[in-house]
Amino acid sequence: MTPRSGKNDSAFALASLAGLLADETRAACLLALLDGRAWTAGELARHAGVAASTASEHLGKLVAGGLLAEERQGRHRYVRLADAGVAQLVEDLAAHAVPGATAKPGTLRESGAGSAMARGRTCYDHLAGRLGITITGAMTARGLLRQDTGFALTDQGVAWFGELGIELARGGRRPLARACLDWTERRPHLAGVAGAALCGHALDSGWCVRIGSQRAVKVTPAGARAFGAHLGIEDL
């Protein structure tokens, strides 16, 4: 599909992107993929509550539109968010949409899942929810992170990651630290290279574990001790 003669290319591109997002099934798939993992079309179909053929059609449009990347292993087809930029776009839009403001959970199970997501979850590859906000606040209070002139790790913060043995990948286009607006807390949490590195370390070290089938995570007893020792956080 190409823009009509005389039309602004940027306006056409924006309208095309908005069209891709303006479907509840496609939106549900994108939100599910914010867990940073690759999903099969069948898994996303069950998550969105649609037929596999319907999900496959929607996923094809998202792949063609550059929002998803496709991988194949044998007979299985997997999709994931194309990159961190797409994840940021989806999370930012979700924050502005304020999920749950107009619809209440229909069941106790839905209410419990929503509460777990609010307490702690992954946002693509970094920690979000109250957990992410608490960690971000503790890092700021300890002088590891600055928020007064935009999100930035201090020299002390870079050294802190090194002391924990957490490698910060440099040289790419992704910023070292970035603010990501949390859609449940309505405040920014740490994203970027540093946010991803800390989240990966927390999961790999057993400080946090995934719960349920969505993005919710919880802090383990070992994690509570670690966050207390390294960031002075007393209650998670």
Side-chain angles (χ1 to χ4, degrees):
M1 184 176 182
T2 56
R4 290 175 291 176
S5 177
K7 294 294 183 181
N8 183 287
D9 287 351
S10 296
F12 176 83
L14 180 59
S16 298
L17 175 60
L20 276 175
L21 297 169
D23 179 272
E24 188 173 352
T25 297
R26 291 197 288 272
C29 292
L30 289 169
L31 287 170
L33 290 166
L34 275 176
D35 68 358
R37 295 176 287 185
W39 289 48
T40 67
E43 289 170 336
L44 288 169
R46 289 189 291 274
H47 175 79
V50 298
S53 58
T54 300
S56 182
E57 179 181 351
H58 284 297
L59 294 176
K61 291 179 179 179
L62 291 171
V63 170
L67 296 180
L68 298 184
E70 185 179 32
E71 302 174 3
R72 289 188 180 275
Q73 292 186 4
R75 295 184 297 105
H76 298 289
R77 173 199 186 197
Y78 294 87
V79 292
R80 63 171 70 248
L81 295 182
D83 53 38
V86 173
Q88 178 182 346
L89 172 65
V90 174
E91 183 76 5
D92 286 348
L93 288 172
H96 286 290
V98 194
T102 57
K104 295 182 178 180
T107 66
L108 184 60
R109 181 177 181 181
E110 290 175 355
S111 177
S115 296
M117 289 277 282
R119 284 193 300 272
R121 64 182 183 279
T122 53
C123 171
Y124 187 52
D125 60 2
H126 56 271
L127 296 171
R130 287 194 293 276
L131 173 61
I133 294 296
T134 300
I135 291 172
T136 299
M139 291 182 67
T140 303
R142 292 205 158 200
L144 309 178
L145 178 70
R146 293 190 61 178
Q147 298 191 44
D148 55 342
T149 56
F151 262 50
L153 281 186
T154 63
D155 291 341
Q156 183 181 352
V158 173
W160 181 81
F161 275 88
E163 291 166 1
L164 289 177
I166 304 176
E167 182 178 354
L168 296 175
R170 307 292 191 102
R173 292 184 298 173
R174 194 177 188 187
L176 186 59
R178 179 181 67 78
C180 182
L181 181 61
D182 198 290
W183 57 258
T184 51
E185 297 298 305
R186 311 300 291 166
R187 294 160 57 194
H189 57 246
L190 176 64
V193 171
L198 182 57
C199 178
H201 183 77
L203 291 170
D204 292 343
S205 301
W207 295 1
C208 296
V209 293
R210 297 184 183 276
I211 55 175
S213 60
Q214 298 190 49
R215 294 185 284 140
V217 299
K218 69 176 181 179
V219 177
T220 65
R225 291 191 295 271
F227 285 123
H230 299 304
L231 288 173
I233 301 173
E234 297 182 354
D235 185 21
L236 280 175

